[in-house]
Amino acid sequence: MASLDLALAGESGTARAITQDGRRAAVISFDVTADGFRAVPRTHLNLIAGGLALFLEGGVPQGAR
């Protein structure tokens, strides 16, 4: 974990290089199976695809606010 306040101020002390990769897990959601809860990693690409499907089904006209 890192302080967001320090990161925004440009004073973050982390030394690890950050890799921008859309295939890495961004969030972890949970699914219910017969054996109980199962952790499911979701990538940025999964989140974008899920949001795009909802947006397209909503039929929002171009330029809408």
PDB file of all heavy atoms in Angstrom, residues 6-47:
ATOM      1  N   LEU A   6       0.754  11.329  -0.819  1.00  0.00           N
ATOM      2  CA  LEU A   6       2.156  11.483  -1.188  1.00  0.00           C
ATOM      3  C   LEU A   6       2.366  11.248  -2.682  1.00  0.00           C
ATOM      4  O   LEU A   6       3.163  11.931  -3.316  1.00  0.00           O
ATOM      5  CB  LEU A   6       3.023  10.515  -0.383  1.00  0.00           C
ATOM      6  CG  LEU A   6       3.158  10.813   1.107  1.00  0.00           C
ATOM      7  CD1 LEU A   6       3.959   9.724   1.797  1.00  0.00           C
ATOM      8  CD2 LEU A   6       3.798  12.163   1.320  1.00  0.00           C
ATOM      9  N   ALA A   7       1.655  10.294  -3.236  1.00  0.00           N
ATOM     10  CA  ALA A   7       1.805  10.002  -4.665  1.00  0.00           C
ATOM     11  C   ALA A   7       1.338  11.171  -5.512  1.00  0.00           C
ATOM     12  O   ALA A   7       1.974  11.526  -6.508  1.00  0.00           O
ATOM     13  CB  ALA A   7       1.036   8.740  -5.026  1.00  0.00           C
ATOM     14  N   LEU A   8       0.234  11.805  -5.129  1.00  0.00           N
ATOM     15  CA  LEU A   8      -0.271  12.947  -5.882  1.00  0.00           C
ATOM     16  C   LEU A   8       0.648  14.159  -5.747  1.00  0.00           C
ATOM     17  O   LEU A   8       0.777  14.955  -6.667  1.00  0.00           O
ATOM     18  CB  LEU A   8      -1.682  13.310  -5.427  1.00  0.00           C
ATOM     19  CG  LEU A   8      -2.759  12.313  -5.830  1.00  0.00           C
ATOM     20  CD1 LEU A   8      -4.086  12.673  -5.189  1.00  0.00           C
ATOM     21  CD2 LEU A   8      -2.904  12.253  -7.332  1.00  0.00           C
ATOM     22  N   ALA A   9       1.303  14.278  -4.597  1.00  0.00           N
ATOM     23  CA  ALA A   9       2.219  15.392  -4.375  1.00  0.00           C
ATOM     24  C   ALA A   9       3.569  15.141  -5.032  1.00  0.00           C
ATOM     25  O   ALA A   9       4.424  16.006  -5.044  1.00  0.00           O
ATOM     26  CB  ALA A   9       2.392  15.628  -2.881  1.00  0.00           C
ATOM     27  N   GLY A  10       3.765  13.939  -5.577  1.00  0.00           N
ATOM     28  CA  GLY A  10       5.024  13.601  -6.241  1.00  0.00           C
ATOM     29  C   GLY A  10       6.126  13.222  -5.277  1.00  0.00           C
ATOM     30  O   GLY A  10       7.292  13.222  -5.631  1.00  0.00           O
ATOM     31  N   GLU A  11       5.774  12.878  -4.047  1.00  0.00           N
ATOM     32  CA  GLU A  11       6.761  12.547  -3.034  1.00  0.00           C
ATOM     33  C   GLU A  11       6.748  11.068  -2.656  1.00  0.00           C
ATOM     34  O   GLU A  11       7.188  10.700  -1.593  1.00  0.00           O
ATOM     35  CB  GLU A  11       6.505  13.384  -1.782  1.00  0.00           C
ATOM     36  CG  GLU A  11       6.518  14.868  -2.037  1.00  0.00           C
ATOM     37  CD  GLU A  11       6.020  15.646  -0.838  1.00  0.00           C
ATOM     38  OE1 GLU A  11       5.846  15.056   0.243  1.00  0.00           O
ATOM     39  OE2 GLU A  11       5.790  16.852  -0.986  1.00  0.00           O
ATOM     40  N   SER A  12       6.229  10.215  -3.515  1.00  0.00           N
ATOM     41  CA  SER A  12       6.116   8.797  -3.198  1.00  0.00           C
ATOM     42  C   SER A  12       7.504   8.176  -3.055  1.00  0.00           C
ATOM     43  O   SER A  12       8.385   8.400  -3.875  1.00  0.00           O
ATOM     44  CB  SER A  12       5.329   8.073  -4.293  1.00  0.00           C
ATOM     45  OG  SER A  12       5.253   6.700  -3.983  1.00  0.00           O
ATOM     46  N   GLY A  13       7.685   7.401  -2.005  1.00  0.00           N
ATOM     47  CA  GLY A  13       8.972   6.775  -1.745  1.00  0.00           C
ATOM     48  C   GLY A  13       9.097   5.380  -2.320  1.00  0.00           C
ATOM     49  O   GLY A  13      10.061   4.680  -2.027  1.00  0.00           O
ATOM     50  N   THR A  14       8.165   4.953  -3.138  1.00  0.00           N
ATOM     51  CA  THR A  14       8.244   3.609  -3.699  1.00  0.00           C
ATOM     52  C   THR A  14       9.333   3.561  -4.759  1.00  0.00           C
ATOM     53  O   THR A  14       9.497   4.475  -5.547  1.00  0.00           O
ATOM     54  CB  THR A  14       6.903   3.178  -4.328  1.00  0.00           C
ATOM     55  OG1 THR A  14       6.555   4.122  -5.328  1.00  0.00           O
ATOM     56  CG2 THR A  14       5.795   3.122  -3.288  1.00  0.00           C
ATOM     57  N   ALA A  15      10.087   2.482  -4.753  1.00  0.00           N
ATOM     58  CA  ALA A  15      11.201   2.343  -5.696  1.00  0.00           C
ATOM     59  C   ALA A  15      10.892   1.362  -6.814  1.00  0.00           C
ATOM     60  O   ALA A  15      11.657   1.232  -7.744  1.00  0.00           O
ATOM     61  CB  ALA A  15      12.447   1.891  -4.934  1.00  0.00           C
ATOM     62  N   ARG A  16       9.780   0.649  -6.699  1.00  0.00           N
ATOM     63  CA  ARG A  16       9.432  -0.373  -7.686  1.00  0.00           C
ATOM     64  C   ARG A  16       8.866   0.273  -8.941  1.00  0.00           C
ATOM     65  O   ARG A  16       8.040   1.174  -8.880  1.00  0.00           O
ATOM     66  CB  ARG A  16       8.400  -1.319  -7.087  1.00  0.00           C
ATOM     67  CG  ARG A  16       8.167  -2.558  -7.905  1.00  0.00           C
ATOM     68  CD  ARG A  16       7.169  -3.414  -7.202  1.00  0.00           C
ATOM     69  NE  ARG A  16       5.863  -2.769  -7.342  1.00  0.00           N
ATOM     70  CZ  ARG A  16       4.732  -3.424  -7.412  1.00  0.00           C
ATOM     71  NH1 ARG A  16       4.705  -4.708  -7.294  1.00  0.00           N
ATOM     72  NH2 ARG A  16       3.592  -2.792  -7.558  1.00  0.00           N
ATOM     73  N   ALA A  17       9.312  -0.200 -10.093  1.00  0.00           N
ATOM     74  CA  ALA A  17       8.802   0.321 -11.363  1.00  0.00           C
ATOM     75  C   ALA A  17       7.377  -0.185 -11.588  1.00  0.00           C
ATOM     76  O   ALA A  17       7.056  -1.336 -11.284  1.00  0.00           O
ATOM     77  CB  ALA A  17       9.691  -0.137 -12.503  1.00  0.00           C
ATOM     78  N   ILE A  18       6.534   0.669 -12.106  1.00  0.00           N
ATOM     79  CA  ILE A  18       5.144   0.313 -12.372  1.00  0.00           C
ATOM     80  C   ILE A  18       5.002  -0.091 -13.825  1.00  0.00           C
ATOM     81  O   ILE A  18       5.427   0.632 -14.726  1.00  0.00           O
ATOM     82  CB  ILE A  18       4.205   1.489 -12.054  1.00  0.00           C
ATOM     83  CG1 ILE A  18       4.303   1.827 -10.572  1.00  0.00           C
ATOM     84  CG2 ILE A  18       2.776   1.171 -12.442  1.00  0.00           C
ATOM     85  CD1 ILE A  18       3.554   3.065 -10.188  1.00  0.00           C
ATOM     86  N   THR A  19       4.423  -1.247 -14.057  1.00  0.00           N
ATOM     87  CA  THR A  19       4.212  -1.750 -15.408  1.00  0.00           C
ATOM     88  C   THR A  19       2.754  -1.546 -15.790  1.00  0.00           C
ATOM     89  O   THR A  19       1.861  -2.023 -15.092  1.00  0.00           O
ATOM     90  CB  THR A  19       4.550  -3.249 -15.491  1.00  0.00           C
ATOM     91  OG1 THR A  19       5.889  -3.440 -15.048  1.00  0.00           O
ATOM     92  CG2 THR A  19       4.410  -3.763 -16.906  1.00  0.00           C
ATOM     93  N   GLN A  20       2.516  -0.823 -16.863  1.00  0.00           N
ATOM     94  CA  GLN A  20       1.152  -0.624 -17.347  1.00  0.00           C
ATOM     95  C   GLN A  20       0.798  -1.801 -18.253  1.00  0.00           C
ATOM     96  O   GLN A  20       1.244  -1.869 -19.385  1.00  0.00           O
ATOM     97  CB  GLN A  20       1.051   0.698 -18.118  1.00  0.00           C
ATOM     98  CG  GLN A  20       1.381   1.919 -17.309  1.00  0.00           C
ATOM     99  CD  GLN A  20       0.343   2.202 -16.240  1.00  0.00           C
ATOM    100  OE1 GLN A  20      -0.800   1.819 -16.360  1.00  0.00           O
ATOM    101  NE2 GLN A  20       0.760   2.881 -15.194  1.00  0.00           N
ATOM    102  N   ASP A  21       0.027  -2.727 -17.742  1.00  0.00           N
ATOM    103  CA  ASP A  21      -0.336  -3.921 -18.500  1.00  0.00           C
ATOM    104  C   ASP A  21      -1.809  -4.209 -18.258  1.00  0.00           C
ATOM    105  O   ASP A  21      -2.219  -4.474 -17.132  1.00  0.00           O
ATOM    106  CB  ASP A  21       0.528  -5.102 -18.061  1.00  0.00           C
ATOM    107  CG  ASP A  21       0.340  -6.324 -18.930  1.00  0.00           C
ATOM    108  OD1 ASP A  21      -0.509  -6.289 -19.837  1.00  0.00           O
ATOM    109  OD2 ASP A  21       1.050  -7.318 -18.704  1.00  0.00           O
ATOM    110  N   GLY A  22      -2.613  -4.157 -19.313  1.00  0.00           N
ATOM    111  CA  GLY A  22      -4.043  -4.378 -19.196  1.00  0.00           C
ATOM    112  C   GLY A  22      -4.422  -5.801 -18.859  1.00  0.00           C
ATOM    113  O   GLY A  22      -5.567  -6.084 -18.547  1.00  0.00           O
ATOM    114  N   ARG A  23      -3.464  -6.717 -18.908  1.00  0.00           N
ATOM    115  CA  ARG A  23      -3.761  -8.125 -18.620  1.00  0.00           C
ATOM    116  C   ARG A  23      -3.573  -8.478 -17.154  1.00  0.00           C
ATOM    117  O   ARG A  23      -3.902  -9.580 -16.743  1.00  0.00           O
ATOM    118  CB  ARG A  23      -2.877  -9.022 -19.479  1.00  0.00           C
ATOM    119  CG  ARG A  23      -3.141  -8.841 -20.970  1.00  0.00           C
ATOM    120  CD  ARG A  23      -2.088  -9.522 -21.783  1.00  0.00           C
ATOM    121  NE  ARG A  23      -0.816  -8.827 -21.510  1.00  0.00           N
ATOM    122  CZ  ARG A  23       0.334  -9.176 -22.041  1.00  0.00           C
ATOM    123  NH1 ARG A  23       0.412 -10.188 -22.841  1.00  0.00           N
ATOM    124  NH2 ARG A  23       1.432  -8.505 -21.756  1.00  0.00           N
ATOM    125  N   ARG A  24      -3.057  -7.551 -16.360  1.00  0.00           N
ATOM    126  CA  ARG A  24      -2.862  -7.809 -14.937  1.00  0.00           C
ATOM    127  C   ARG A  24      -4.156  -7.513 -14.186  1.00  0.00           C
ATOM    128  O   ARG A  24      -4.937  -6.667 -14.581  1.00  0.00           O
ATOM    129  CB  ARG A  24      -1.740  -6.934 -14.405  1.00  0.00           C
ATOM    130  CG  ARG A  24      -0.428  -7.224 -15.106  1.00  0.00           C
ATOM    131  CD  ARG A  24       0.665  -6.408 -14.562  1.00  0.00           C
ATOM    132  NE  ARG A  24       1.271  -7.197 -13.478  1.00  0.00           N
ATOM    133  CZ  ARG A  24       2.217  -6.770 -12.704  1.00  0.00           C
ATOM    134  NH1 ARG A  24       2.676  -5.555 -12.844  1.00  0.00           N
ATOM    135  NH2 ARG A  24       2.724  -7.538 -11.772  1.00  0.00           N
ATOM    136  N   ALA A  25      -4.369  -8.201 -13.095  1.00  0.00           N
ATOM    137  CA  ALA A  25      -5.606  -8.033 -12.325  1.00  0.00           C
ATOM    138  C   ALA A  25      -5.700  -6.629 -11.753  1.00  0.00           C
ATOM    139  O   ALA A  25      -4.740  -6.108 -11.190  1.00  0.00           O
ATOM    140  CB  ALA A  25      -5.654  -9.052 -11.206  1.00  0.00           C
ATOM    141  N   ALA A  26      -6.851  -6.002 -11.942  1.00  0.00           N
ATOM    142  CA  ALA A  26      -7.095  -4.663 -11.414  1.00  0.00           C
ATOM    143  C   ALA A  26      -7.932  -4.738 -10.141  1.00  0.00           C
ATOM    144  O   ALA A  26      -7.700  -4.002  -9.192  1.00  0.00           O
ATOM    145  CB  ALA A  26      -7.813  -3.809 -12.453  1.00  0.00           C
ATOM    146  N   VAL A  27      -8.904  -5.629 -10.130  1.00  0.00           N
ATOM    147  CA  VAL A  27      -9.768  -5.835  -8.965  1.00  0.00           C
ATOM    148  C   VAL A  27     -10.022  -7.329  -8.818  1.00  0.00           C
ATOM    149  O   VAL A  27      -9.810  -8.101  -9.750  1.00  0.00           O
ATOM    150  CB  VAL A  27     -11.127  -5.099  -9.095  1.00  0.00           C
ATOM    151  CG1 VAL A  27     -10.936  -3.609  -9.162  1.00  0.00           C
ATOM    152  CG2 VAL A  27     -11.898  -5.587 -10.276  1.00  0.00           C
ATOM    153  N   ILE A  28     -10.474  -7.703  -7.661  1.00  0.00           N
ATOM    154  CA  ILE A  28     -10.851  -9.100  -7.431  1.00  0.00           C
ATOM    155  C   ILE A  28     -12.307  -9.106  -7.004  1.00  0.00           C
ATOM    156  O   ILE A  28     -12.694  -8.431  -6.050  1.00  0.00           O
ATOM    157  CB  ILE A  28      -9.980  -9.754  -6.358  1.00  0.00           C
ATOM    158  CG1 ILE A  28      -8.528  -9.792  -6.845  1.00  0.00           C
ATOM    159  CG2 ILE A  28     -10.477 -11.148  -6.030  1.00  0.00           C
ATOM    160  CD1 ILE A  28      -7.563 -10.343  -5.846  1.00  0.00           C
ATOM    161  N   SER A  29     -13.123  -9.829  -7.764  1.00  0.00           N
ATOM    162  CA  SER A  29     -14.523  -9.990  -7.390  1.00  0.00           C
ATOM    163  C   SER A  29     -14.711 -11.423  -6.910  1.00  0.00           C
ATOM    164  O   SER A  29     -13.805 -12.235  -6.986  1.00  0.00           O
ATOM    165  CB  SER A  29     -15.436  -9.675  -8.576  1.00  0.00           C
ATOM    166  OG  SER A  29     -15.189 -10.568  -9.638  1.00  0.00           O
ATOM    167  N   PHE A  30     -15.877 -11.717  -6.416  1.00  0.00           N
ATOM    168  CA  PHE A  30     -16.132 -13.054  -5.884  1.00  0.00           C
ATOM    169  C   PHE A  30     -17.348 -13.650  -6.553  1.00  0.00           C
ATOM    170  O   PHE A  30     -18.316 -12.961  -6.856  1.00  0.00           O
ATOM    171  CB  PHE A  30     -16.323 -12.989  -4.368  1.00  0.00           C
ATOM    172  CG  PHE A  30     -15.065 -12.609  -3.644  1.00  0.00           C
ATOM    173  CD1 PHE A  30     -14.769 -11.280  -3.395  1.00  0.00           C
ATOM    174  CD2 PHE A  30     -14.174 -13.574  -3.249  1.00  0.00           C
ATOM    175  CE1 PHE A  30     -13.610 -10.921  -2.743  1.00  0.00           C
ATOM    176  CE2 PHE A  30     -13.005 -13.237  -2.601  1.00  0.00           C
ATOM    177  CZ  PHE A  30     -12.720 -11.899  -2.344  1.00  0.00           C
ATOM    178  N   ASP A  31     -17.271 -14.955  -6.806  1.00  0.00           N
ATOM    179  CA  ASP A  31     -18.361 -15.703  -7.404  1.00  0.00           C
ATOM    180  C   ASP A  31     -18.741 -16.813  -6.436  1.00  0.00           C
ATOM    181  O   ASP A  31     -17.895 -17.322  -5.697  1.00  0.00           O
ATOM    182  CB  ASP A  31     -17.915 -16.287  -8.749  1.00  0.00           C
ATOM    183  CG  ASP A  31     -19.081 -16.772  -9.583  1.00  0.00           C
ATOM    184  OD1 ASP A  31     -20.231 -16.541  -9.180  1.00  0.00           O
ATOM    185  OD2 ASP A  31     -18.833 -17.387 -10.630  1.00  0.00           O
ATOM    186  N   VAL A  32     -19.999 -17.190  -6.432  1.00  0.00           N
ATOM    187  CA  VAL A  32     -20.469 -18.252  -5.547  1.00  0.00           C
ATOM    188  C   VAL A  32     -20.530 -19.548  -6.340  1.00  0.00           C
ATOM    189  O   VAL A  32     -21.154 -19.611  -7.397  1.00  0.00           O
ATOM    190  CB  VAL A  32     -21.860 -17.911  -4.963  1.00  0.00           C
ATOM    191  CG1 VAL A  32     -22.342 -19.023  -4.059  1.00  0.00           C
ATOM    192  CG2 VAL A  32     -21.812 -16.597  -4.225  1.00  0.00           C
ATOM    193  N   THR A  33     -19.849 -20.554  -5.856  1.00  0.00           N
ATOM    194  CA  THR A  33     -19.873 -21.880  -6.478  1.00  0.00           C
ATOM    195  C   THR A  33     -20.450 -22.875  -5.471  1.00  0.00           C
ATOM    196  O   THR A  33     -20.774 -22.510  -4.333  1.00  0.00           O
ATOM    197  CB  THR A  33     -18.448 -22.327  -6.874  1.00  0.00           C
ATOM    198  OG1 THR A  33     -17.663 -22.485  -5.686  1.00  0.00           O
ATOM    199  CG2 THR A  33     -17.787 -21.310  -7.791  1.00  0.00           C
ATOM    200  N   ALA A  34     -20.566 -24.121  -5.873  1.00  0.00           N
ATOM    201  CA  ALA A  34     -21.077 -25.158  -4.970  1.00  0.00           C
ATOM    202  C   ALA A  34     -20.148 -25.350  -3.776  1.00  0.00           C
ATOM    203  O   ALA A  34     -20.573 -25.764  -2.703  1.00  0.00           O
ATOM    204  CB  ALA A  34     -21.232 -26.466  -5.723  1.00  0.00           C
ATOM    205  N   ASP A  35     -18.851 -25.021  -3.955  1.00  0.00           N
ATOM    206  CA  ASP A  35     -17.868 -25.170  -2.876  1.00  0.00           C
ATOM    207  C   ASP A  35     -17.761 -23.926  -2.008  1.00  0.00           C
ATOM    208  O   ASP A  35     -16.983 -23.896  -1.071  1.00  0.00           O
ATOM    209  CB  ASP A  35     -16.494 -25.479  -3.467  1.00  0.00           C
ATOM    210  CG  ASP A  35     -16.489 -26.794  -4.229  1.00  0.00           C
ATOM    211  OD1 ASP A  35     -17.230 -27.709  -3.825  1.00  0.00           O
ATOM    212  OD2 ASP A  35     -15.751 -26.892  -5.219  1.00  0.00           O
ATOM    213  N   GLY A  36     -18.496 -22.865  -2.332  1.00  0.00           N
ATOM    214  CA  GLY A  36     -18.434 -21.622  -1.571  1.00  0.00           C
ATOM    215  C   GLY A  36     -17.969 -20.473  -2.458  1.00  0.00           C
ATOM    216  O   GLY A  36     -18.098 -20.524  -3.677  1.00  0.00           O
ATOM    217  N   PHE A  37     -17.415 -19.447  -1.839  1.00  0.00           N
ATOM    218  CA  PHE A  37     -16.951 -18.284  -2.585  1.00  0.00           C
ATOM    219  C   PHE A  37     -15.645 -18.601  -3.310  1.00  0.00           C
ATOM    220  O   PHE A  37     -14.798 -19.320  -2.788  1.00  0.00           O
ATOM    221  CB  PHE A  37     -16.728 -17.086  -1.662  1.00  0.00           C
ATOM    222  CG  PHE A  37     -17.993 -16.471  -1.171  1.00  0.00           C
ATOM    223  CD1 PHE A  37     -18.419 -16.652   0.130  1.00  0.00           C
ATOM    224  CD2 PHE A  37     -18.768 -15.697  -2.012  1.00  0.00           C
ATOM    225  CE1 PHE A  37     -19.585 -16.091   0.590  1.00  0.00           C
ATOM    226  CE2 PHE A  37     -19.950 -15.121  -1.573  1.00  0.00           C
ATOM    227  CZ  PHE A  37     -20.349 -15.323  -0.272  1.00  0.00           C
ATOM    228  N   ARG A  38     -15.489 -18.049  -4.499  1.00  0.00           N
ATOM    229  CA  ARG A  38     -14.263 -18.203  -5.266  1.00  0.00           C
ATOM    230  C   ARG A  38     -13.827 -16.827  -5.751  1.00  0.00           C
ATOM    231  O   ARG A  38     -14.611 -16.070  -6.306  1.00  0.00           O
ATOM    232  CB  ARG A  38     -14.489 -19.115  -6.464  1.00  0.00           C
ATOM    233  CG  ARG A  38     -13.297 -19.132  -7.413  1.00  0.00           C
ATOM    234  CD  ARG A  38     -13.446 -20.154  -8.468  1.00  0.00           C
ATOM    235  NE  ARG A  38     -13.159 -21.434  -7.846  1.00  0.00           N
ATOM    236  CZ  ARG A  38     -13.097 -22.567  -8.518  1.00  0.00           C
ATOM    237  NH1 ARG A  38     -13.344 -22.584  -9.787  1.00  0.00           N
ATOM    238  NH2 ARG A  38     -12.807 -23.679  -7.907  1.00  0.00           N
ATOM    239  N   ALA A  39     -12.565 -16.490  -5.514  1.00  0.00           N
ATOM    240  CA  ALA A  39     -12.028 -15.206  -5.958  1.00  0.00           C
ATOM    241  C   ALA A  39     -11.804 -15.245  -7.464  1.00  0.00           C
ATOM    242  O   ALA A  39     -11.270 -16.215  -8.001  1.00  0.00           O
ATOM    243  CB  ALA A  39     -10.712 -14.919  -5.249  1.00  0.00           C
ATOM    244  N   VAL A  40     -12.243 -14.186  -8.153  1.00  0.00           N
ATOM    245  CA  VAL A  40     -12.097 -14.086  -9.603  1.00  0.00           C
ATOM    246  C   VAL A  40     -11.353 -12.791  -9.921  1.00  0.00           C
ATOM    247  O   VAL A  40     -11.894 -11.705  -9.711  1.00  0.00           O
ATOM    248  CB  VAL A  40     -13.470 -14.088 -10.308  1.00  0.00           C
ATOM    249  CG1 VAL A  40     -13.306 -14.014 -11.814  1.00  0.00           C
ATOM    250  CG2 VAL A  40     -14.281 -15.303  -9.912  1.00  0.00           C
ATOM    251  N   PRO A  41     -10.110 -12.890 -10.421  1.00  0.00           N
ATOM    252  CA  PRO A  41      -9.393 -11.665 -10.777  1.00  0.00           C
ATOM    253  C   PRO A  41      -9.971 -11.060 -12.049  1.00  0.00           C
ATOM    254  O   PRO A  41     -10.281 -11.763 -13.003  1.00  0.00           O
ATOM    255  CB  PRO A  41      -7.953 -12.141 -10.990  1.00  0.00           C
ATOM    256  CG  PRO A  41      -8.073 -13.590 -11.304  1.00  0.00           C
ATOM    257  CD  PRO A  41      -9.305 -14.082 -10.619  1.00  0.00           C
ATOM    258  N   ARG A  42     -10.146  -9.749 -12.044  1.00  0.00           N
ATOM    259  CA  ARG A  42     -10.670  -9.040 -13.220  1.00  0.00           C
ATOM    260  C   ARG A  42      -9.619  -8.037 -13.678  1.00  0.00           C
ATOM    261  O   ARG A  42      -9.078  -7.283 -12.877  1.00  0.00           O
ATOM    262  CB  ARG A  42     -11.949  -8.283 -12.877  1.00  0.00           C
ATOM    263  CG  ARG A  42     -13.034  -9.135 -12.281  1.00  0.00           C
ATOM    264  CD  ARG A  42     -13.752  -9.913 -13.316  1.00  0.00           C
ATOM    265  NE  ARG A  42     -14.850 -10.645 -12.675  1.00  0.00           N
ATOM    266  CZ  ARG A  42     -15.488 -11.607 -13.257  1.00  0.00           C
ATOM    267  NH1 ARG A  42     -15.187 -11.963 -14.479  1.00  0.00           N
ATOM    268  NH2 ARG A  42     -16.461 -12.235 -12.637  1.00  0.00           N
ATOM    269  N   THR A  43      -9.349  -8.010 -14.968  1.00  0.00           N
ATOM    270  CA  THR A  43      -8.385  -7.067 -15.521  1.00  0.00           C
ATOM    271  C   THR A  43      -9.085  -5.774 -15.914  1.00  0.00           C
ATOM    272  O   THR A  43     -10.318  -5.694 -15.920  1.00  0.00           O
ATOM    273  CB  THR A  43      -7.700  -7.655 -16.765  1.00  0.00           C
ATOM    274  OG1 THR A  43      -8.678  -7.810 -17.794  1.00  0.00           O
ATOM    275  CG2 THR A  43      -7.059  -8.999 -16.479  1.00  0.00           C
ATOM    276  N   HIS A  44      -8.301  -4.767 -16.266  1.00  0.00           N
ATOM    277  CA  HIS A  44      -8.870  -3.517 -16.763  1.00  0.00           C
ATOM    278  C   HIS A  44      -9.683  -3.789 -18.028  1.00  0.00           C
ATOM    279  O   HIS A  44     -10.720  -3.181 -18.251  1.00  0.00           O
ATOM    280  CB  HIS A  44      -7.753  -2.511 -17.073  1.00  0.00           C
ATOM    281  CG  HIS A  44      -7.119  -1.954 -15.858  1.00  0.00           C
ATOM    282  ND1 HIS A  44      -5.971  -2.485 -15.324  1.00  0.00           N
ATOM    283  CD2 HIS A  44      -7.463  -0.913 -15.055  1.00  0.00           C
ATOM    284  CE1 HIS A  44      -5.634  -1.797 -14.261  1.00  0.00           C
ATOM    285  NE2 HIS A  44      -6.515  -0.836 -14.064  1.00  0.00           N
ATOM    286  N   LEU A  45      -9.207  -4.716 -18.837  1.00  0.00           N
ATOM    287  CA  LEU A  45      -9.919  -5.039 -20.073  1.00  0.00           C
ATOM    288  C   LEU A  45     -11.283  -5.652 -19.780  1.00  0.00           C
ATOM    289  O   LEU A  45     -12.258  -5.347 -20.475  1.00  0.00           O
ATOM    290  CB  LEU A  45      -9.073  -5.995 -20.923  1.00  0.00           C
ATOM    291  CG  LEU A  45      -7.688  -5.465 -21.322  1.00  0.00           C
ATOM    292  CD1 LEU A  45      -6.901  -6.537 -22.060  1.00  0.00           C
ATOM    293  CD2 LEU A  45      -7.802  -4.209 -22.134  1.00  0.00           C
ATOM    294  N   ASN A  46     -11.378  -6.492 -18.754  1.00  0.00           N
ATOM    295  CA  ASN A  46     -12.671  -7.056 -18.355  1.00  0.00           C
ATOM    296  C   ASN A  46     -13.634  -5.971 -17.902  1.00  0.00           C
ATOM    297  O   ASN A  46     -14.820  -5.987 -18.242  1.00  0.00           O
ATOM    298  CB  ASN A  46     -12.507  -8.052 -17.207  1.00  0.00           C
ATOM    299  CG  ASN A  46     -11.750  -9.299 -17.565  1.00  0.00           C
ATOM    300  OD1 ASN A  46     -10.911  -9.733 -16.783  1.00  0.00           O
ATOM    301  ND2 ASN A  46     -12.005  -9.882 -18.715  1.00  0.00           N
ATOM    302  N   LEU A  47     -13.131  -5.009 -17.131  1.00  0.00           N
ATOM    303  CA  LEU A  47     -13.972  -3.926 -16.631  1.00  0.00           C
ATOM    304  C   LEU A  47     -14.463  -3.037 -17.772  1.00  0.00           C
ATOM    305  O   LEU A  47     -15.627  -2.629 -17.798  1.00  0.00           O
ATOM    306  CB  LEU A  47     -13.205  -3.096 -15.611  1.00  0.00           C
ATOM    307  CG  LEU A  47     -12.764  -3.838 -14.344  1.00  0.00           C
ATOM    308  CD1 LEU A  47     -11.899  -2.940 -13.485  1.00  0.00           C
ATOM    309  CD2 LEU A  47     -13.954  -4.357 -13.584  1.00  0.00           C
TER     310      LEU A  47
END
